[in-house]
């Protein structure tokens, strides 16, 4: 038996008249807030506990998994000044009630240290330029319109990515998108990791990880990215 639930309330607020932005002060104070308050709780009958950053499934003596948490996000984007704006969003998940470490594996909280812990992260921090059908955005950001990456927003916070995008909508009923992505943040993590580490692996049916292409050695990576001897 499994019981799952994700519930939330989302809102957007615009401060001031965007047509009257003619100073930096106006741009900073007349931007747009966005926010989401969400509760998520799950209870599942399973002793197969696959946790984040794990290469193998944990067959636990505990035959249940559960978490209960509240959180969401709060973000702000400045009004455009000379067609340029900046924005940032903080995401968080905070445990509520009973979240035992031996019932982890559902991904609602940070599980990297073997427990179910809270996390808070700057998931978005970007600069954006828009003018007459051209849009450029650089930095940490959600990418809901790019099918080769996913928000996977099915727990408390989504996956976000770090990189640069260019979008062109000059032609009617046609849009051109291009993107370069260097890092990604898992949905229940508080740090960004190299895309080669985060996206080149897929889960096998028995919990193992298989290569999509190429080879992967975790010792070739540190907090700054790839450090192996094959780097050009």
């Amino acid at each position: 038996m499994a019981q799952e639930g994700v519930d939330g309330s989302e809102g957007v607020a615009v401060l001031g008249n965007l047509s009257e932005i003619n100073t930096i002060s106006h741009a900073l104070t007349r931007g747009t807030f966005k926010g989401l308050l969400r509760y998520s709780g799950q209870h599942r009958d399973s002793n197969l506990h696959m946790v984040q950053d794990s290469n193998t499934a944990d067959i636990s003596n505990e035959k249940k998994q559960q978490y209960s948490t509240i959180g969401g996000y709060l973000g702000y984007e400045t009004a455009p000044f000379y067609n340029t704006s900046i924005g940032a969003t903080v995401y968080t998940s905070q445990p509520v009630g009973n979240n035992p470490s031996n019932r982890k594996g559902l991904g609602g909280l940070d599980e990297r240290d073997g427990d179910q812990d809270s996390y808070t992260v700057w998931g978005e921090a970007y600069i954006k330029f828009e003018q007459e059908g051209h849009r450029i955005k650089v930095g940490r950001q959600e990418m809901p319109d790019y099918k080769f990456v996913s928000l996977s927003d099915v727990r408390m916070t989504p996956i976000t990515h770090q990189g640069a995008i260019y979008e062109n909508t000059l032609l009617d009923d046609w849009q051109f998108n291009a993107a370069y992505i260097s890092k990604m943040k898992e949905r229940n993590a508080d740090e960004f990791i190299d895309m080669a580490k985060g996206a080149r692996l897929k889960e096998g049916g028995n919990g193992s990880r298989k290569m999509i292409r190429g080879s992967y050695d975790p010792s070739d990576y540190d907090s700054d990215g790839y450090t192996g001897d094959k780097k050009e």
Side-chain angles (χ1 to χ4, degrees), residues 96-112:
V96 176
N98 190 25
N99 291 277
S101 60
N102 63 345
R103 293 189 176 186
K104 60 183 178 293
L106 293 176
L109 292 160
D110 188 339
E111 302 167 341
R112 289 170 299 174

Side-chain angles (χ1 to χ4, degrees), residues 141-146 149-154 157-161 185 187:
Q141 55 191 289
E142 293 186 5
M143 294 185 175
D145 298 326
Y146 289 76
V149 295
S150 172
L151 294 179
S152 190
D153 191 13
V154 294
T157 59
I159 293 174
T160 59
H161 295 83
K185 179 197 70 66
R187 63 189 179 203

Side-chain angles (χ1 to χ4, degrees), residues 201-221:
L201 301 175
K202 65 179 181 179
E203 300 293 344
N206 61 353
S208 63
R209 290 190 172 187
K210 300 179 180 179
M211 305 303 162
I212 295 176
R213 62 180 177 83
S215 60
Y216 168 68
D217 184 347
S219 65
D220 287 339
Y221 296 85

Side-chain angles (χ1 to χ4, degrees), residues 20-40:
E20 299 177 354
I21 304 302
N22 48 33
T23 67
I24 294 178
S25 177
H26 287 166
L28 293 176
T29 59
R30 299 183 183 181
T32 303
F33 279 103
K34 67 176 182 178
L36 173 69
L37 179 62
R38 168 183 283 174
Y39 169 80
S40 178

Side-chain angles (χ1 to χ4, degrees), residues 109-218:
L109 292 160
D110 188 339
E111 302 167 341
R112 289 170 299 174
D113 295 330
D115 296 319
Q116 297 196 83
D117 298 322
S118 64
Y119 64 89
T120 301
V121 56
W122 288 103
E124 289 190 310
Y126 58 83
I127 182 170
K128 182 174 70 174
F129 174 85
E130 289 185 287
Q131 184 179 31
E132 298 179 353
H134 300 279
R135 183 171 186 251
I136 299 172
K137 192 174 182 181
V138 180
R140 298 179 175 184
Q141 55 191 289
E142 293 186 5
M143 294 185 175
D145 298 326
Y146 289 76
K147 304 304 181 182
F148 53 89
V149 295
S150 172
L151 294 179
S152 190
D153 191 13
V154 294
R155 292 295 187 270
M156 288 302 295
T157 59
I159 293 174
T160 59
H161 295 83
Q162 178 176 304
I165 65 171
Y166 169 71
E167 298 174 356
N168 185 305
T169 56
L170 291 175
L171 299 179
D172 292 339
D173 302 319
W174 188 88
Q175 179 171 322
F176 171 79
N177 293 353
Y180 172 79
I181 304 173
S182 59
K183 293 185 177 183
M184 65 177 289
K185 179 197 70 66
E186 295 286 1
R187 63 189 179 203
N188 60 335
D190 61 0
E191 61 183 7
F192 283 72
I193 61 175
D194 192 278
M195 276 297 294
K197 180 179 179 181
R200 291 179 68 182
L201 301 175
K202 65 179 181 179
E203 300 293 344
N206 61 353
S208 63
R209 290 190 172 187
K210 300 179 180 179
M211 305 303 162
I212 295 176
R213 62 180 177 83
S215 60
Y216 168 68
D217 184 347

